[in-house]
Amino acid sequence: MNARREYPDVAAIRELPALKSTVISSDWEDINGHVNVGFYMHLYNESGWPMFDLIGVDPSYFSERQMGIVDLEHHIWYLSELHVGDRVTAYGRFLDHDAKRIHGIVFTVNDDSDVLAGAIEFLAISMDLRERRAAEIPDDVAARLSVVTDSHRQCAWTFPTRLAIRR
């Protein structure tokens, strides 16, 4: 069985919110002639701001509320090489959450070849930045997170995840 068949097609991924688009620059290339792993993570990190903005987590969340979101785990899928000059867009999907944790995934689509290039699945936790401890997600953010997660669950496709919120 071809494992690629488990992955959604690009049209399905594009149903999700587009988070960040960029062109791969020459400093992202590694000795193998393709994008270095660090830049997949860079794109993921840059995509996190607009993804979390969907649920009301913006710079004021950190500065005024003294709350934060910290990643606990990642799983990375490299599905197709990216090269210098490729145009890419990142899309995000929230998969699950509980009182303190958030599970989601960011997909990278190569816009030039119209293929899914990779995905980074994450498990994150809400933090009280004053106490430097895990804390419950504030009610207003949790409510938005529920709405967005429910809308993402309406997608007619799945992705073979590796992480999960253990209940």
Side-chain angles (χ1 to χ4, degrees):
M1 181 171 149
N2 183 348
R4 265 204 191 282
R5 292 184 186 167
E6 295 180 36
Y7 303 124
D9 64 26
V10 171
I13 300 265
R14 287 190 173 127
E15 295 172 8
L16 297 168
L19 304 172
K20 168 106 177 141
S21 293
T22 193
V23 175
I24 304 298
S25 67
S26 60
D27 61 330
W28 288 29
E29 186 176 56
D30 67 13
I31 197 164
N32 295 306
H34 59 210
V35 170
N36 178 276
V37 63
F39 291 103
Y40 280 87
M41 290 304 292
H42 174 74
L43 182 59
Y44 163 81
N45 189 57
E46 292 292 311
S47 301
W49 288 109
M51 185 170 184
F52 279 90
D53 193 48
L54 295 170
I55 61 168
V57 175
D58 60 14
S60 70
Y61 184 80
F62 297 86
S63 63
E64 295 169 17
R65 291 189 185 203
Q66 292 294 295
M67 294 293 292
I69 305 288
V70 178
D71 283 358
L72 298 171
E73 293 184 62
H74 298 109
H75 186 87
I76 304 173
W77 284 265
Y78 301 102
L79 304 172
S80 177
E81 286 185 303
L82 292 174
H83 299 280
V84 173
D86 287 345
R87 292 178 305 120
V88 297
T89 301
Y91 297 85
R93 183 173 184 178
F94 287 106
L95 300 170
D96 195 11
H97 66 90
D98 66 10
K100 295 181 182 179
R101 296 169 296 179
I102 301 169
H103 180 207
I105 193 161
V106 173
F107 300 95
T108 301
V109 170
N110 183 327
D111 296 320
D112 293 327
S113 60
D114 207 36
V115 299
L116 178 59
I120 299 179
E121 180 185 8
F122 66 89
L123 187 61
I125 195 160
S126 173
M127 294 267 305
D128 179 319
L129 296 177
R130 289 174 284 245
E131 306 231 354
R132 307 305 292 180
R133 298 178 61 93
E136 288 195 8
I137 300 166
D139 290 343
D140 61 319
V141 173
R144 288 184 195 149
L145 179 57
S146 290
V147 168
V148 174
T149 302
D150 288 346
S151 74
H152 289 180
R153 286 182 180 142
Q154 300 305 311
C155 293
W157 52 273
T158 61
F159 192 84
T161 59
R162 299 290 187 262
L163 307 175
I165 293 178
R166 310 277 183 237
R167 300 194 193 302

